[in-house]
Amino acid sequence: MHHIQFFLFFQLTFSQEKTFNVVFDVTSSNVKTHQIAVRHVELMSSSYPNSKFEVVLYGGSIEMALDKKSSVRQSILALSQKDNVDFVICEASMRKHKVIKSDLVKGFKTVPDGILEIVEKQIQGWGYIKEAH
């Protein structure tokens, strides 16, 4: 029994020491997709505090970022306070939907192009997760 406990302790300790970077791609207007993406970031950023996570919104996911419409506003506010989590939105999508920075949930950063942001992260070796429902 002690061997199993030691093994589990070693596994948990070792897994928490791993560090990596992950970019989340969110384009869906589906609220469930927004909720799942936030849940993934909450769990991963807490489990791996030395790793970095970035959620990139573009296309139809614009409402996820809107202060008055986001179903995950409170979670985004809390997560954006963490040093290892960034929420970014595509400026091209903002222009298309006539959204200005003051419309966004506090803590959002902007990038000129969401797709290029994801490509740049992948070139830098970041892992990629497409959030869909």
Side-chain angles (χ1 to χ4, degrees):
M1 184 69 163
H2 285 53
H3 294 292
I4 292 172
Q5 289 174 337
F6 175 75
F7 178 74
L8 288 174
F9 173 77
F10 178 76
Q11 282 287 90
L12 290 173
T13 303
F14 180 73
S15 68
Q16 290 177 354
E17 291 176 12
K18 289 182 184 179
T19 61
F20 47 86
N21 302 320
V22 179
V23 61
F24 294 83
D25 177 343
V26 183
T27 60
S28 174
S29 62
N30 189 305
V31 172
K32 292 223 183 264
T33 299
H34 303 170
Q35 294 166 347
I36 290 168
V38 166
R39 187 170 58 237
H40 288 158
V41 175
E42 285 171 340
L43 293 171
M44 293 178 80
S45 65
S46 294
S47 297
Y48 301 96
N50 296 322
S51 296
K52 294 182 182 175
F53 305 92
E54 182 173 281
V55 181
V56 179
L57 278 64
Y58 63 98
S61 63
I62 196 90
E63 284 194 11
M64 181 177 174
L66 297 179
D67 192 52
K68 294 183 179 175
K69 293 187 178 184
S70 179
S71 66
V72 290
R73 179 184 179 278
Q74 295 295 27
S75 295
I76 291 171
L77 287 169
L79 285 167
S80 65
Q81 297 300 309
K82 292 180 145 193
D83 291 336
N84 64 337
V85 176
D86 286 318
F87 285 86
V88 300
I89 186 162
C90 172
E91 292 169 3
S93 293
M94 289 174 64
R95 282 189 301 276
K96 178 182 176 187
H97 294 278
K98 296 177 176 53
V99 169
I100 57 174
K101 193 159 183 153
S102 62
D103 295 333
L104 302 175
V105 174
K106 185 178 178 186
F108 260 93
K109 298 175 183 177
T110 64
V111 294
D113 188 290
I115 294 171
L116 290 179
E117 175 71 7
I118 291 168
V119 169
E120 286 178 17
K121 293 298 184 193
Q122 289 179 302
I123 289 170
Q124 295 170 11
W126 286 52
Y128 172 83
I129 296 177
K130 172 67 176 173
E131 293 286 3
H133 187 266

